[in-house]
Amino acid sequence: MATVGRRTAVVAASSGLVVSMFASPAAAAPSGEAASASVPSVDTAALTGAARAVLETSPVVSVADSTQWSFDVPEVTAVAPPVKQRTVRTVSRSSVRTVNAPIPQSASGNAVLEIAARYVGVPYRWGGTTPAGFDCSGFTQYVYAQLGIHLPRTSESQKYAGIVVARADARPGDLIWTPDHVAIYAGGNLQIDEPRTGGSAQFRSIWQSNPVFIRVI
């Protein structure tokens, strides 16, 4: 049985395993035949065929009573992964476009413009008549409706919703009409409108040529 125990150690070593029954200090082990008799029995029934073949053919290893087991533990050094550097792009102020112009001073105290300014940034939507999305005439109709003033649905019809006034006599809150488009005059050379697909309600310069100013009454 001592021979079996020693051969088991060989099998264990060849398979990368360590048998704990040999880990007791050498000073505690008895000497001579008593040492051989003290080796615990090993059940080889659970070994695979290959393991048993190694066991039967492995040489008998004898060691002195004073032999001690030792293991070489390699030193492990933890290395942190390299930190990925982030590239920060600097954007020139000149390349940044302002979507919505500031609300002009003329809007203060003007009921029509103060209501219209609430919807700056609402996207253009063809056929839209609500804050979920406006087209140009849907926007003007909705703003005036907040004041109890009903405007026709289309820009062509809104042209006849009031009286035409000269540009020099126009007041903030009047309509600005051109073929297929209508806006709200914001004073000076400014208007607020829903421009086109991809745009949004905003204050901007009057770009139309020969616009018609209409005072809703």
Side-chain angles (χ1 to χ4, degrees), residues 32-210:
E33 291 300 326
S36 298
S38 65
V39 177
S41 61
V42 178
D43 182 9
T44 62
L47 297 177
T48 63
R52 284 197 298 271
V54 173
L55 178 64
E56 293 171 357
T57 58
S58 61
V60 176
V61 179
S62 298
V63 296
D65 294 341
S66 60
T67 301
Q68 295 183 354
W69 288 84
S70 64
F71 298 90
D72 293 330
V73 180
E75 183 178 350
V76 178
T77 303
V79 179
V83 179
K84 186 177 181 180
Q85 299 294 327
R86 296 182 60 187
T87 302
V88 179
R89 296 181 59 189
T90 303
V91 180
S92 171
R93 277 183 168 271
S94 60
S95 66
V96 178
R97 297 180 59 188
T98 302
V99 176
N100 298 314
I103 298 174
Q105 190 67 31
S106 59
S108 178
N110 184 288
V112 176
L113 291 179
E114 284 186 346
I115 292 172
R118 299 174 188 171
Y119 306 104
V120 167
V122 171
Y124 178 94
R125 179 178 295 174
W126 189 87
T129 59
T130 72
F134 295 111
D135 61 15
C136 66
S137 57
F139 175 64
T140 54
Q141 183 187 53
Y142 188 89
V143 170
Y144 272 85
Q146 308 310 301
L147 297 171
I149 301 172
H150 175 73
L151 292 182
R153 173 62 187 90
T154 67
S155 60
E156 290 300 318
S157 298
Q158 289 181 15
K159 177 181 180 181
Y160 304 102
I163 60 172
V164 176
V165 297
R167 181 166 186 165
D169 297 327
R171 301 172 186 169
D174 289 344
L175 294 178
I176 299 179
W177 181 90
T178 47
D180 299 321
H181 191 66
V182 65
I184 298 174
Y185 182 50
N189 193 45
L190 294 176
Q191 65 182 350
I192 180 172
D193 66 340
E194 278 283 7
R196 61 188 177 278
T197 301
S200 60
Q202 59 183 287
F203 286 94
R204 59 177 177 158
S205 298
I206 297 174
W207 54 268
Q208 303 92 317
S209 60
N210 300 319

